[in-house]
Amino acid sequence: MYSEKVMDHFNNPRNVGEIENPSGVGTVGNAKCGDIMRMYLDIDENGVILDCKFKTFGCGAAVATSSMATELVKGKTIQQALEVTNKAVMEALDGLPPVKVHCSLLAEEAIHAALWDYAEKNHIQIEGLEKPVSDISEKEEEEEY
Ligand code: FES
C-alpha cells in the first residue's frame, strides 16, 4: 500500500502551520474529494525560499505529499521550486498507489498558487509559471494516468 516514507510524512508531517506575513500564500482544492491545501512561502530578496509551511484539510496522501513538498522547496530558488512537480514529490516519497496520485497534484498546485501570489504582490512575472487553478479537479481531467 503506502511506502514507509509516506507513512512517516503522514504521521509526522513537516512544516505544518502558517507563516505570518508570508511572501506568498496559495490555496487550492479538489472539488471531487473536497480536500483543500494552503501553502505559505517566505521568500528573501534574492528569490530564495527561506521557509514554507502548509495546512491541509485532506486525506493522508495529501498530508504526506504537502509535507514532502515543503521539504523539497525549502532553501530553493523560485525557479528550482517550479521543478518540484507532483512527480518529483511522489518519487521522493517512493511512490503512491495509483488511486492516490491525484492527491500529489494538490501539493504542486498549492506551491504554484503561492508563487503566483508572490509574483502579483511584487509585480513581477515568474518565467514558466502558469496561472494556477483553484480547483484542481478541472486539471485532472486533462491528465492521463
Ligand atoms: Fe482528495 Fe487525496 S483524496 S487529495
Side-chain angles (χ1 to χ4, degrees):
M1 264 302 271
Y2 289 115
S3 73
E4 270 176 40
K5 282 192 188 161
V6 173
M7 290 311 292
D8 178 33
H9 278 264
F10 169 61
N11 286 319
N12 309 292
R14 326 300 198 256
N15 309 309
V16 175
E18 293 178 23
I19 293 177
E20 252 183 70
N21 303 318
S23 312
V25 56
T27 307
V28 295
N30 182 331
K32 274 195 198 148
C33 61
D35 292 349
I36 297 172
M37 186 183 297
R38 180 169 296 161
M39 195 70 85
Y40 301 83
L41 296 175
D42 180 18
I43 301 173
D44 75 4
E45 61 281 2
N46 300 316
V48 175
I49 298 170
L50 300 178
D51 201 8
C52 178
K53 292 212 185 304
F54 80 94
K55 278 192 165 173
T56 291
F57 308 93
C59 73
V63 172
T65 50
S66 20
S67 167
M68 181 54 94
T70 58
E71 290 279 274
L72 291 177
V73 300
K74 255 195 188 182
K76 299 261 165 78
T77 64
I78 291 170
Q79 281 305 322
Q80 288 168 336
L82 284 179
E83 287 160 26
V84 179
T85 58
N86 75 309
K87 289 193 179 73
V89 173
M90 281 195 296
E91 268 170 33
L93 286 169
D94 294 336
L96 279 175
V99 292
K100 287 287 170 186
V101 169
H102 75 272
C103 314
S104 63
L105 277 174
L106 215 48
E108 177 186 318
E109 202 66 6
I111 293 171
H112 290 178
L115 287 173
W116 187 268
D117 180 46
Y118 166 78
E120 282 201 322
K121 278 183 183 153
N122 291 280
H123 311 289
I124 56 167
Q125 269 202 334
I126 297 175
E127 215 189 305
L129 180 65
E130 286 176 22
K131 192 173 186 346
V133 295
S134 54
D135 173 11
I136 60 152
S137 67
E138 293 166 16
K139 240 188 163 176
E140 260 172 48
E141 277 151 28
E142 299 162 15
E143 304 242 350
E144 292 283 332
Y145 297 118

